[in-house]
Amino acid sequence: MTVTTVRVPAKVNLQLGVGPVRDDGYHDLVNVFHAVSLFDEVTATPAATLTITVEGPAGVPVGPDNLAVRAARLLASHAGVEPRVALHIRKDIPVAGGMAGGSADAAAALVACDALWGTGMSRETLLELGARIGSDVPFALLGGTAVGLGRGERLTPVEAVGEFHWVFGYADGGLSTPAVYAECDRLRADAPAAWPVVSDDLMAALKTGDPLALGRALTNDLQPAALSLRPSLAAALAVGVESGAVGSLVSGSGPTCAFLASSASHAAALGRTLSGTGRFSAVRQARGPVPGAVLI
Ligand code: ATP
């Protein structure tokens, strides 16, 4: 194969339950991931050495820290091949926006390089290599809707009925995920968190495909911390609800705001209203669930 391109989706957390901080500094999480139709594309072209170029928003490292580069190197060393590839990322997923764009690019690079180099890794091996790069990477390979336990990497797919329609409000400037977790710990210092469990209401809503029930069941334990670090998010979420969203929450560690609509036409109307408020740097419509990283 001469050139491979992989399309990979962003995620929104339908539930992000954050447990008490563990001895190793991480938190046990109950995550319900949902892949939505905002995509990055990673192209892998044969080259003498590993290089990386990025097209799209600023803030993405173009060196060894890029998660796609780390993924390519990890795959090469695991497979015993030289990492000879020119990676090119076309970014549409917001950077540091709480939608796991960097993890998505890592997942895409694993799939693209595996195809380019003919290394023939099994699905299980790619998931295991992905988990070594970051706890959100396995879900970007899988897509759909899934419960993630541990740090988010132990995945069980969830059967969701039908399609859900979303509007995402992007913010100017990202939020650092470690900073949001640190703020979450600070806010909870006097009242340690209970152990999170998967929400029955959420699972029931996914099984019926009812957007109103899903909207009521959305929860994010990181939201108070994201709002504490970025107070303007409270008003941004409120404007979505006033504009008729059937559910709203901060996506992951933020600052992207996710609004659920009751249908595709409702999402289009909601998107127009939210664009007109001037509260977001961009407003995007998307549907979910969609598949994980796929060769195109
Ligand atoms: P998550 O929700 O997974 O915690 P996020 O969506 O908030 O993360 P990302 O866009 O994944 O944030 O990026 C977080 C940081 O990772 C960026 O600020 C950037 O420095 C670094 N990074 C490394 N590789 C990439 C990449 N390919 N795309 C975007 N950011 C990357």
Side-chain angles (χ1 to χ4, degrees), residues 11 13 40 42 52 54 59-61 65-70 89 91 93-106 136 174-178 181 251-256:
K11 62 84 184 161
N13 303 73
D40 281 359
V42 175
I52 175 86
V54 179
V60 180
D65 292 340
N66 192 295
L67 293 178
V69 171
R70 287 184 43 205
I89 304 178
K91 274 209 89 70
I93 303 174
V95 178
M99 300 196 79
S103 301
D105 297 345
D136 287 350
L175 274 176
S176 144
T177 303
Y181 274 97
S251 178
S253 53
T256 306

Side-chain angles (χ1 to χ4, degrees), residues 1-295:
M1 224 179 270
T2 49
V3 179
T4 59
T5 298
V6 171
R7 194 176 80 159
V8 66
K11 62 84 184 161
V12 60
N13 303 73
L14 305 179
Q15 178 184 0
L16 178 41
V18 181
V21 66
R22 306 190 312 204
D23 290 345
D24 64 3
Y26 288 101
H27 299 78
D28 271 305
L29 303 178
V30 165
N31 249 310
V32 181
F33 295 111
H34 183 69
V36 294
S37 61
L38 300 171
F39 299 104
D40 281 359
E41 272 180 24
V42 175
T43 299
T45 307
T49 56
L50 202 169
T51 60
I52 175 86
T53 47
V54 179
E55 189 182 332
V60 180
V62 280
D65 292 340
N66 192 295
L67 293 178
V69 171
R70 287 184 43 205
R73 282 200 196 289
L74 181 64
L75 173 65
S77 91
H78 183 83
V81 300
E82 288 298 318
R84 299 185 201 281
V85 62
L87 293 171
H88 181 72
I89 304 178
R90 267 182 57 193
K91 274 209 89 70
D92 198 30
I93 303 174
V95 178
M99 300 196 79
S103 301
D105 297 345
L110 286 175
V111 175
C113 291
D114 184 47
L116 180 74
W117 297 331
T119 40
M121 294 292 141
S122 66
R123 195 80 185 148
E124 288 65 34
T125 303
L126 290 180
L127 288 166
E128 198 263 310
L129 293 176
R132 284 202 237 163
I133 295 167
S135 41
D136 287 350
V137 179
F139 178 71
L141 289 164
L142 191 70
T145 305
V147 173
L149 301 178
R151 285 164 50 197
E153 78 289 4
R154 296 200 323 260
L155 293 171
T156 310
V158 174
E159 285 304 320
V161 166
E163 238 182 13
F164 296 101
H165 299 277
W166 297 89
V167 178
F168 292 94
Y170 293 8
D172 271 326
L175 274 176
S176 144
T177 303
V180 175
Y181 274 97
E183 181 67 359
C184 178
D185 292 339
R186 193 185 71 77
L187 293 175
R188 290 168 162 189
D190 297 328
W195 207 257
V197 290
V198 177
S199 157
D200 290 338
D201 290 347
L202 177 57
M203 290 300 120
L206 289 168
K207 285 202 176 73
T208 57
D210 175 0
L212 298 178
L214 181 64
R216 285 192 298 271
L218 299 170
T219 55
N220 180 357
D221 285 354
L222 287 181
Q223 188 162 305
L227 264 59
S228 169
L229 294 176
R230 189 72 67 84
S232 60
L233 287 177
L237 288 172
V239 94
V241 176
E242 285 154 20
S243 306
V246 299
S248 68
L249 85 174
V250 168
S251 178
S253 53
T256 306
C257 291
F259 302 102
L260 185 64
S262 53
S263 65
S265 58
H266 181 215
L270 181 61
R272 283 192 296 274
T273 308
L274 291 177
S275 293
T277 65
R279 283 207 171 265
F280 303 99
S281 62
V283 172
R284 301 290 303 279
Q285 208 182 313
R287 71 200 146 73
V290 295
V294 284
L295 279 166

